[in-house]
Amino acid sequence: MAEEPNPQPFPPQEDDGLERLRGVLSRVRFASENGEFAVCELTVDGESHPVTIVGNILSTQPGESVEVVGEWQDDARYGRQLRIRRLRAILPVTRKGIERYLSGGFIDGIGPVLAERIVDAFGEKTLEILDEDPSRLAEVDGIGKVRLERIQSAWYEQRAIRDVMVFLQSHSISPTFALKIFRLYGERAPEIIQDNPYKLAEDVFGIGFRKADAIARSTGIEHDAVTRLRAGVMFALGQAHSEGHMFLPMDNLRERAAELLEVEEDSIGAAIEELKYEEKLVIEPIEGTSSAIWRHPAYHAEVEAARHLRRLLEVQPLLKHAGPDQSQLDQIEDTMGIELARAQREAVMAAWQHKVVVITGGPGTGKTTIIRAVVTLGERGGAKVSLAAPTGRAAKRLGEATGREARTLHRMLEFSFQEGGFQVNDEAPLDVDLLIVDEASMIDTYLLHAIARAMPDHARLLLVGDIDQLPSVGPGNVLADIIGCGQIEVVRLTEIFRQAQQSNIVRNAHRINAGELPIIPERTGKELVDFYAINTEEPRMARERILEMVTERIPKAFGYDPLEEVQILSPMHKGDVGCRAINEMLQNKLNPDAVELVRGARRWKVGDKVMQLRNNYEQDVFNGDIGKITDIDHLDKLLTVTFPDRGEVAYDFNTLDELGLAYAITVHKSQGSEYPAVVIPIVTQHFIMLQRNLLYTAITRAKELVILVGTQKALGIAVRNDTAQQRFTRLSARLLGPDF
């Protein structure tokens, strides 16, 4: 091994003549957010001064030995640099290099101290022994049976990963996803990818169609190959899903797929027909318009959701749970010590008189009071009432407001990763007489299907939400479709109650919803108010004002904890006041000296506020859950996040793309949550996202304080823009009957 450090060097190619360097990646001076561009220092073998290399280093970390192929360029500002064409990690051959490699955290069970002992024992033959006779590691002090097994397993995995990385390199793709691919496919990864590279876009989180397409083209798949066209069609439908659509009209899909694939629209038809034949797509004729093209699971979810809701509507409830009379409502008022308004009484009556009911209204219109009255009435009559919400935070709020247990829909319906779906369903339905679901605007079609399917015939369903908020992140437009179908009882609450009228937050939310600019209350002396607007023209200056507000002025004036009680809600990820820039700024300010982990452009610290970015059913954490990093274990390569309702969840270092910093989050991610104080940047830089329902949703997340930072112009644009994006769904039509 010592004589031949790299048995498989980069093969000579047409670009032979480019500079080839070997050395240690000693420092990363800069890395882009996506990790695809970095400026690094490379300490070249045999040289005392490092050279600068620029380009894609993705999966490589400081301390690794690498081989780089590239071309020299002179930068006016930074001097001579080697622009990377290809880069890969190589195994070191010197004692010092081997020790540094083993202690770099790549091998489970080996830290700096143990690495030194191992190299002291075996010298330059260390890696050879790990490959050929790892049992000899037991000769080293501190390595028992359990640790030996961990090291052997980790070394085997690393070796297999290196093979996958080499394969990916040969097809012009970065090795950044090598570990994910290996863990999904194992040693068969090259075979699977060679057979159908487009599976990567379907199976691996973070790999989109374009990356998979690049691999496919390098394996010899032709531009107009049916395999490629099929993959493009499925990806276009997937993109539509992420935009909230359940389906795409045929013409729309052909146009999207053709643009993505850079082919003529006529060539898309054959791919669609083939996917239909394989039952991956459903083509549904719609009279007077282009046929609807569905992914099969989406079609099934919508059709079955509508069928189960119609089933509920058709079956009469149990006689003992017939609707209340006025005297019973009077008794409930006495019990609760309240006086219900006429609309509230109608809503409570409706919940027990109809099988499926929607109650919708803005902040301060008494939705929570109605829920409490409905529950109290049901309990007095001996009915089984269950409370649920789409997210953990929303369920917690509902439980606190009612004094009863409230669960997330996923927990109530017993989602099982192992079993593959909801265990509470039409074969094992809920044991309820009435199910109340709060924050119903967040329910997508798939979740509606799960709810409706789990309802027993006799039970009632009460959906409570604000139709004027943003629709669900997932596909569908459930609340709007149910309200619009005309088949389901809807109670609209418009009266703002006296207590709520005292809140500028509530008053301004309703003004914005009506297309009117918010009224900023005037301060008298040092008196604090609950709604502020800080006028700042430049986005970068707005960012500085936000920093000042969160870290100094709000804590000093109101006593709020900047981590626990203040939440920044930005319309977008990018830009000077986007979530990414603000998160980096606040991390440095609020959590400067904590134990940290650096992965490319991303930095994690103990104490950081973080958010789960996608549903992870195996870990029982869901998109939008917020927690705090409580431990970073470099030896075992685990980062621990503590969530308020879930407890501790351990993340492998290679799965951290599931997490994002949460000092600032998007408005969409805030749905179903409330915070004592909310700070909202609103600038013309975010023009595309300046929408009335987005601003309305952001403001209604605040319980006690709202601060807008930006310009009057941007605020005016948002208030005037009430054009909500159309979502392609057919739920409303299906609720009219099976023939629609």
Side-chain angles (χ1 to χ4, degrees), residues 384-456:
K384 296 178 180 176
V385 182
S386 289
L387 300 170
T391 67
R393 286 192 168 223
K396 184 178 180 181
R397 282 174 47 220
L398 180 61
E400 291 171 348
T402 60
R404 276 82 168 175
E405 180 189 17
R407 294 173 288 173
T408 66
L409 287 163
H410 280 84
R411 289 197 173 98
M412 184 189 71
L413 299 175
E414 298 180 14
F415 186 90
S416 170
F417 176 78
Q418 290 76 20
E419 300 295 328
F422 294 101
Q423 302 309 293
V424 178
N425 48 46
D426 49 348
E427 296 180 358
L430 289 165
D431 183 19
V432 296
D433 299 311
L434 170 66
L435 172 63
I436 302 174
V437 181
D438 199 14
E439 296 289 352
S441 62
M442 299 180 66
I443 298 172
D444 63 25
T445 303
Y446 292 102
L447 194 51
L448 177 68
H449 172 221
I451 296 167
R453 185 185 178 197
M455 294 292 294

Side-chain angles (χ1 to χ4, degrees), residues 472-517:
S472 61
V473 175
N477 202 10
V478 167
L479 194 59
D481 284 349
I482 289 176
I483 291 174
C485 74
Q487 303 299 299
I488 288 170
E489 184 71 14
V490 178
V491 180
R492 298 177 183 268
L493 306 173
T494 56
E495 181 183 354
I496 306 172
F497 290 95
R498 187 179 304 166
Q499 185 176 356
Q501 288 177 357
Q502 299 172 5
S503 165
N504 292 297
I505 298 172
V506 172
R507 289 206 304 267
N508 281 331
H510 284 275
R511 286 185 63 85
I512 289 167
N513 199 35
E516 301 172 357
L517 288 170

Side-chain angles (χ1 to χ4, degrees), residues 89-103:
I90 59 174
L91 297 179
V93 297
T94 65
R95 290 173 63 98
K96 185 177 179 181
I98 294 170
E99 185 180 325
R100 185 169 52 223
Y101 177 73
L102 292 179
S103 64

Side-chain angles (χ1 to χ4, degrees), residues 275-587:
L275 288 164
K276 176 192 173 184
Y277 178 77
E278 295 180 4
E279 297 186 348
K280 292 184 177 180
L281 296 184
V282 174
I283 301 179
E284 183 182 27
I286 301 177
E287 188 176 349
T289 187
S290 176
S291 297
I293 314 299
W294 303 73
R295 284 184 170 188
H296 200 278
Y299 179 80
H300 174 79
E302 190 181 275
V303 168
E304 287 299 294
R307 183 176 72 82
H308 282 292
L309 284 176
R310 293 198 310 272
R311 168 180 60 82
L312 277 182
L313 293 169
E314 291 165 0
V315 180
Q316 292 300 309
L318 297 177
L319 185 62
K320 66 177 182 177
H321 298 142
D325 56 32
Q326 296 295 331
S327 64
Q328 288 174 304
L329 274 185
D330 293 340
Q331 293 174 11
I332 293 298
E333 287 182 328
D334 292 339
T335 300
M336 296 174 62
I338 60 172
E339 182 178 349
L340 296 170
R342 187 177 70 177
Q344 289 180 306
R345 291 176 73 93
E346 290 175 359
V348 175
M349 296 283 283
W352 288 107
Q353 290 174 339
H354 301 273
K355 291 295 297 298
V356 183
V357 178
V358 172
I359 297 173
T360 183
T365 56
K367 296 190 296 295
T368 300
T369 300
I370 293 169
I371 293 174
R372 288 172 54 215
V374 169
V375 173
T376 304
L377 192 61
E379 290 174 344
R380 180 167 290 187
K384 296 178 180 176
V385 182
S386 289
L387 300 170
T391 67
R393 286 192 168 223
K396 184 178 180 181
R397 282 174 47 220
L398 180 61
E400 291 171 348
T402 60
R404 276 82 168 175
E405 180 189 17
R407 294 173 288 173
T408 66
L409 287 163
H410 280 84
R411 289 197 173 98
M412 184 189 71
L413 299 175
E414 298 180 14
F415 186 90
S416 170
F417 176 78
Q418 290 76 20
E419 300 295 328
F422 294 101
Q423 302 309 293
V424 178
N425 48 46
D426 49 348
E427 296 180 358
L430 289 165
D431 183 19
V432 296
D433 299 311
L434 170 66
L435 172 63
I436 302 174
V437 181
D438 199 14
E439 296 289 352
S441 62
M442 299 180 66
I443 298 172
D444 63 25
T445 303
Y446 292 102
L447 194 51
L448 177 68
H449 172 221
I451 296 167
R453 185 185 178 197
M455 294 292 294
D457 287 343
H458 75 274
R460 305 176 194 269
L461 176 63
L462 174 59
L463 302 174
V464 183
D466 187 347
I467 188 60
D468 295 313
Q469 288 194 30
L470 290 168
S472 61
V473 175
N477 202 10
V478 167
L479 194 59
D481 284 349
I482 289 176
I483 291 174
C485 74
Q487 303 299 299
I488 288 170
E489 184 71 14
V490 178
V491 180
R492 298 177 183 268
L493 306 173
T494 56
E495 181 183 354
I496 306 172
F497 290 95
R498 187 179 304 166
Q499 185 176 356
Q501 288 177 357
Q502 299 172 5
S503 165
N504 292 297
I505 298 172
V506 172
R507 289 206 304 267
N508 281 331
H510 284 275
R511 286 185 63 85
I512 289 167
N513 199 35
E516 301 172 357
L517 288 170
I519 295 174
I520 310 303
E522 293 184 8
R523 292 181 59 187
T524 56
K526 294 184 178 180
E527 180 187 357
L528 297 172
V529 296
D530 60 358
F531 202 104
Y532 295 84
I534 310 298
N535 190 49
T536 307
E537 292 292 332
E538 292 293 326
R540 291 190 179 182
M541 183 58 70
R543 187 172 67 194
E544 293 302 316
R545 296 300 298 273
I546 290 170
L547 176 65
E548 180 189 7
M549 288 289 165
V550 174
T551 61
E552 299 176 23
R553 296 183 65 176
I554 293 176
K556 183 178 179 181
F558 295 89
Y560 293 134
D561 184 307
L563 276 176
E564 302 293 335
E565 297 176 302
V566 182
Q567 186 61 61
I568 298 166
L569 302 181
S570 179
M572 296 184 72
H573 287 287
K574 298 180 180 179
D576 293 312
V577 288
C579 291
R580 291 173 183 169
I582 294 176
N583 273 321
E584 182 178 345
M585 176 181 68
L586 284 176
Q587 184 189 50

Side-chain angles (χ1 to χ4, degrees), residues 95-96 98-120 140 147 633-636:
R95 290 173 63 98
K96 185 177 179 181
I98 294 170
E99 185 180 325
R100 185 169 52 223
Y101 177 73
L102 292 179
S103 64
F106 302 101
I107 311 299
D108 248 358
I110 301 181
V113 174
L114 192 55
E116 185 179 359
R117 289 180 194 163
I118 293 171
V119 176
D120 283 344
V140 179
R147 178 165 284 187
D633 187 336
H634 287 275
L635 180 60
D636 290 331

